[in-house]
């Protein structure tokens, strides 16, 4: 099984930025599309960004233009650069394949609040 370890979350003011990282065990990243998923209180986990093996990426409308995902296959790591953060971006961020097939990591909490 693959393990994902997400990091980089924290408390940030509205308009601020954060960079999340997702490190995967093994060499799975080079073979799969990877995504960032957001779970907000009371809601199901939802896919907000995807990045494919060729580097093409797409985004949920709510984060388009503010978030950028990237991947470093040599480091088995996926990143999420978040800027112009809003309170509604608050939640726990997870990474997984797209569609998700691997066990979930612990996620990383992002709180956007003044």
């Amino acid at each position: 099984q693959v393990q994902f370890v997400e990091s980089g979350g924290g408390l940030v003011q509205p308009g601020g930025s954060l960079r999340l990282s997702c490190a995967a065990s093994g060499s799975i990243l080079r073979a799969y599309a990877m995504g960032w998923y957001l779970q907000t209180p009371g809601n199901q986990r939802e896919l907000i960004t995807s990045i494919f093996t060729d580097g093409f990426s797409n985004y949920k409308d709510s984060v388009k233009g503010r978030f950028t995902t990237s991947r470093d296959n040599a480091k088995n790591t996926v990143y999420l650069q978040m800027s112009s953060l809003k309170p509604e971006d608050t939640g726990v961020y997870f990474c997984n394949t797209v569609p998700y097939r691997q066990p979930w990591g612990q996620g990383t909490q992002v709180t956007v609040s003044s």
Side-chain angles (χ1 to χ4, degrees):
Q1 283 184 332
V2 177
Q3 290 184 321
F4 297 115
V5 179
E6 300 91 347
S7 62
L11 173 64
V12 62
Q13 291 187 341
S17 299
L18 283 173
R19 188 191 194 210
L20 307 184
S21 298
C22 166
S25 63
S27 302
I28 188 175
L29 288 187
R30 65 184 68 250
Y32 293 97
M34 292 295 299
W36 283 95
Y37 298 77
L38 169 62
Q39 185 162 24
T40 55
N43 295 307
Q44 290 187 335
R45 213 165 291 179
E46 62 172 348
L47 179 67
I48 58 169
T49 74
S50 302
I51 183 164
F52 299 92
T53 55
D54 61 359
F56 178 80
S57 58
N58 55 29
Y59 302 86
K60 190 173 186 287
D61 284 348
S62 60
V63 305
K64 200 172 292 184
R66 301 188 297 121
F67 290 10
T68 302
T69 186
S70 59
R71 62 195 297 159
D72 186 334
N73 291 337
K75 295 182 178 179
N76 293 316
T77 302
V78 179
Y79 303 97
L80 182 64
Q81 178 68 49
M82 306 187 295
S83 59
S84 302
L85 282 161
K86 304 176 181 180
E88 51 264 42
D89 297 321
T90 294
V92 184
Y93 287 73
F94 301 84
C95 66
N96 210 312
T97 56
V98 178
Y100 68 88
R101 291 194 176 96
Q102 302 298 327
W104 294 99
Q106 84 287 353
T108 186
Q109 173 73 45
V110 172
T111 303
V112 184
S113 175
S114 55

